C-alpha cells in the first residue's frame, strides 16, 4: 500500500525522455565492475529529474523535465533502463517506498532495490573555471577528425588525448601518435587569453556520442586550474556543458609535444579532388613493400603524382589534377603512409 509520504513525492515523466537520459548515463558506466558504480543517482526537484553516473574517470549528469519530486536514491541503471524500455505507456510514474524504487509504466509495477546514498561517489555538479564557447556541431566533427591521430599506447600518457590550445588569438585541436599529427584550426576564441589543456580521448569520444551531428547551439567548456599544497599546477578539472547534460573529467597529466616545431613554416596550399586523390592512393599503394608501406607524393601547380616502388611488388604511379593556391613553393615533394592519408 502506498503511504501518504510516497504520494507526495511521486514523479511523473515522459517515458521516451527518460529512456534517452538513462542510455546516456549507461554509456558512462557500462564498463565498470563495481556494483555501486553500475547504479544511477536520481533526484527530482523544481520540475526536473536529475540523473547522474560515474566510473570515477568521467561523470555525467543529465536533466529532463518532470512533474513532482523524488528524494535522492541510487538504483541499478541497467535494470531500470530495461524496465522503462519495455513499458508501453507514454508516461511513467516513479516513487520511493522504504528501500525500493517503484516504477509504474501503466498496468505493470516494477520494484527495484535501492542502494545506500552515502556509498555513492560524489559527483561535481557545478561547472567552474574559465569558459570557452564552442559551436556544437562543428566541434563534434573536429573532435572526430582529431581522434584519428591519438596515440593508443598506454605508456605515452600526454599523447593519449587531444590538445586544445588557445594562443595568439587562435584556437587549435592537435593530436599525434608520434608518427602522424592532426592539426585543426577552430577559429577565434571568445576569450583571447592563452590556454593549453589535454582532453582525454574518452572524454572526446563521449562528447561525440552526446552531441548530434548537426546539432545547433553551443557547447561550453569550463577549465578549472588546480594546484597542490605546494602551489604547483596539477591537472585541470574539465566540465563540458551541453543541451541538458554536464560531462566532467580531468585533464591528462603530462606535457604535450611542441607541435608547432614540426609544422612547416612554408604554407603552400594545393587543391585536389578528395575522392580522386584517395582512389589513386589506394590503387598505387598496392605496390608498397609490406615491411615499409609508403607512397611518394609530388605536388605541382597543375598535377599531383603519387608513386610507390618496392622490390617485391614493382612500381605503380598515378596522377590527379591539382591547382596551386599560393602561400609558398609551387612544387612539393613528400611521402606518406597511405593508411594515414585514408584515415
Amino acid at each position: 500500500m502506498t503511504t501518504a509520504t510516497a504520494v507526495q513525492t511521486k514523479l511523473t515523466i515522459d517515458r521516451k525522455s527518460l529512456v534517452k537520459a538513462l542510455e546516456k548515463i549507461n554509456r558512462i558506466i557500462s564498463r565498470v565492475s563495481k556494483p555501486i558504480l553500475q547504479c544511477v543517482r536520481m533526484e527530482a526537484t523544481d520540475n526536473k529529474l536529475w540523473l547522474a553516473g560515474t566510473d570515477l574517470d568521467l561523470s555525467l549528469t543529465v536533466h529532463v523535465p518532470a512533474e513532482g519530486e523524488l528524494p535522492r536514491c541510487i538504483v541499478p541503471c541497467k535494470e531500470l533502463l530495461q524496465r522503462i524500455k519495455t513499458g508501453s505507456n507514454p508516461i511513467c510514474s516513479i516513487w520511493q517506498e522504504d528501500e525500493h524504487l517503484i516504477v509504474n509504466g501503466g498496468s505493470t509495477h516494477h520494484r527495484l532495490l535501492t542502494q545506500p546514498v552515502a556509498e555513492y561517489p560524489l559527483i561535481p555538479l557545478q561547472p567552474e573555471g574559465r569558459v570557452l564557447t564552442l559551436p556544437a556541431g562543428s566541434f563534434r566533427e573536429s573532435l572526430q577528425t582529431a581522434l584519428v591521430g591519438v596515440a593508443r599506447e598506454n605508456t605515452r600518457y600526454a599523447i593519449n588525448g587531444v590538445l586544445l590550445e588557445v594562443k595568439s588569438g587562435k584556437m587549435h585541436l592537435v593530436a599525434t601518435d608520434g608518427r602522424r599529427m592532426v592539426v585543426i584550426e577552430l577559429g577565434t576564441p571568445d576569450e583571447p587569453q592563452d590556454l593549453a589543456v589535454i582532453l582525454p580521448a574518452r572524454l572526446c569520444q563521449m562528447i561525440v556520442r552526446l552531441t548530434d551531428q548537426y546539432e545547433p547551439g553551443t557547447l561550453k567548456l569550463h577549465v578549472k586550474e588546480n594546484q597542490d599544497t605546494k602551489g604547483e599546477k596539477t591537472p585541470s578539472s574539465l566540465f563540458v556543458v551541453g543541451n541538458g547534460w554536464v560531462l566532467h573529467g580531468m585533464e591528462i597529466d603530462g606535457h604535450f609535444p611542441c607541435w608547432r616545431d614540426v609544422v612547416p613554416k612554408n604554407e603552400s596550399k594545393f587543391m585536389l579532388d578528395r575522392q580522386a586523390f584517395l582512389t589513386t592512393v589506394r590503387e598505387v599503394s598496392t605496390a608498397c613493400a609490406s615491411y615499409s608501406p609508403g607512397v611518394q607524393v609530388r605536388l605541382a601547380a597543375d598535377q599531383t603524382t603519387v608513386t610507390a616502388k618496392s622490390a617485391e611488388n614493382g612500381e605503380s604511379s598515378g596522377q590527379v589534377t591539382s591547382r596551386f593556391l599560393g602561400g609558398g613553393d609551387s612544387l612539393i615533394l613528400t611521402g606518406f603512409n597511405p593508411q594515414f592519408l585514408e584515415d
Side-chain angles (χ1 to χ4, degrees):
M1 180 176 178
T2 304
T3 64
T5 302
V7 172
Q8 294 174 357
T9 58
K10 182 179 289 189
L11 182 77
T12 57
I13 187 171
D14 178 75
R15 185 177 67 85
K16 289 185 178 179
S17 297
L18 182 54
V19 167
K20 289 180 180 179
L22 287 170
E23 286 177 337
K24 290 177 181 178
I25 297 294
N26 198 50
R27 289 171 185 160
I28 292 285
I29 63 177
S30 59
R31 297 188 293 180
V32 298
S33 56
K34 194 173 181 180
I36 192 66
L37 296 181
Q38 295 173 354
C39 295
V40 57
R41 191 185 72 191
M42 305 176 65
E43 184 177 14
T45 57
D46 300 327
N47 293 323
K48 284 184 181 179
L49 172 63
W50 291 85
L51 306 171
T54 182
D55 63 0
L56 301 183
D57 289 325
L58 294 180
S59 301
L60 177 67
T61 58
V62 181
H63 65 82
V64 289
E67 294 183 5
E69 295 184 353
L70 182 71
R72 182 171 292 189
C73 58
I74 311 295
V75 292
C77 184
K78 186 177 179 181
E79 285 74 8
L80 177 61
L81 176 58
Q82 184 179 16
R83 284 158 176 78
I84 299 294
K85 265 188 170 182
T86 56
S88 56
N89 197 312
I91 301 297
C92 288
S93 296
I94 302 174
W95 65 92
Q96 198 169 1
E97 277 186 10
D98 300 323
E99 296 180 352
H100 290 84
L101 186 74
I102 313 300
V103 180
N104 179 7
S107 59
T108 306
H109 279 58
H110 304 285
R111 295 175 63 88
L112 293 173
L113 183 65
T114 60
Q115 303 297 317
V117 173
E119 292 185 10
Y120 201 74
L122 293 175
I123 296 178
L125 291 176
Q126 187 62 43
E128 301 178 74
R130 179 181 171 185
V131 183
L132 288 176
T133 302
L134 306 159
S138 61
F139 185 64
R140 176 189 188 274
E141 184 179 353
S142 297
L143 281 179
Q144 280 186 302
T145 303
L147 283 167
V148 172
V150 172
R152 302 293 186 264
E153 298 89 348
N154 291 330
T155 55
R156 309 185 71 181
Y157 304 112
I159 58 175
N160 286 150
V162 178
L163 174 69
L164 174 62
E165 182 187 77
V166 176
K167 189 172 183 178
S168 302
K170 293 185 178 181
M171 184 162 47
H172 292 88
L173 285 178
V174 187
T176 181
D177 59 6
R179 300 184 299 275
R180 56 182 170 175
M181 183 170 65
V182 179
V183 180
I184 304 168
E185 186 171 338
L186 298 179
T188 304
D190 46 2
E191 289 188 22
Q193 184 179 352
D194 288 357
L195 173 73
V197 60
I198 307 175
L199 310 176
R202 191 155 168 263
L203 180 101
C204 297
Q205 292 163 355
M206 196 56 58
I207 294 172
V208 170
R209 289 186 176 185
L210 292 169
T211 310
D212 293 332
Q213 184 174 2
Y214 302 108
E215 182 169 326
T218 59
L219 298 176
K220 291 190 180 294
L221 173 64
H222 296 246
V223 181
K224 179 180 178 290
E225 295 186 352
N226 298 317
Q227 294 181 341
D228 59 18
T229 54
K230 298 180 180 179
E232 297 180 355
K233 185 183 182 303
T234 58
S236 300
S237 301
L238 307 173
F239 299 86
V240 184
V241 182
N243 183 18
W245 52 268
V246 179
L247 181 65
H248 171 261
M250 299 297 294
E251 177 191 14
I252 290 180
D253 191 10
H255 297 284
F256 200 86
C258 296
W259 64 274
R260 294 177 185 274
D261 292 347
V262 298
V263 174
K265 305 303 181 186
N266 187 334
E267 297 185 357
S268 298
K269 295 182 180 180
F270 296 84
M271 180 181 289
L272 303 88
D273 181 272
R274 178 179 179 274
Q275 194 56 50
F277 179 64
L278 288 177
T279 299
T280 301
V281 169
R282 291 190 191 102
E283 293 176 358
V284 170
S285 64
T286 56
C288 291
S290 57
Y291 56 86
S292 180
V295 295
Q296 301 300 314
V297 180
R298 182 182 186 274
L299 291 159
D302 57 351
Q303 183 174 268
T304 292
T305 303
V306 183
T307 307
K309 182 191 299 185
S310 67
E312 55 185 297
N313 296 323
E315 181 177 353
S316 296
S317 65
Q319 289 78 36
V320 181
T321 301
S322 59
R323 184 156 63 94
F324 178 59
L325 301 180
D329 296 334
S330 60
L331 178 62
I332 300 290
L333 302 177
T334 185
F336 295 98
N337 182 321
Q339 187 59 53
F340 293 174
L341 291 174
E342 291 185 35
D343 286 344

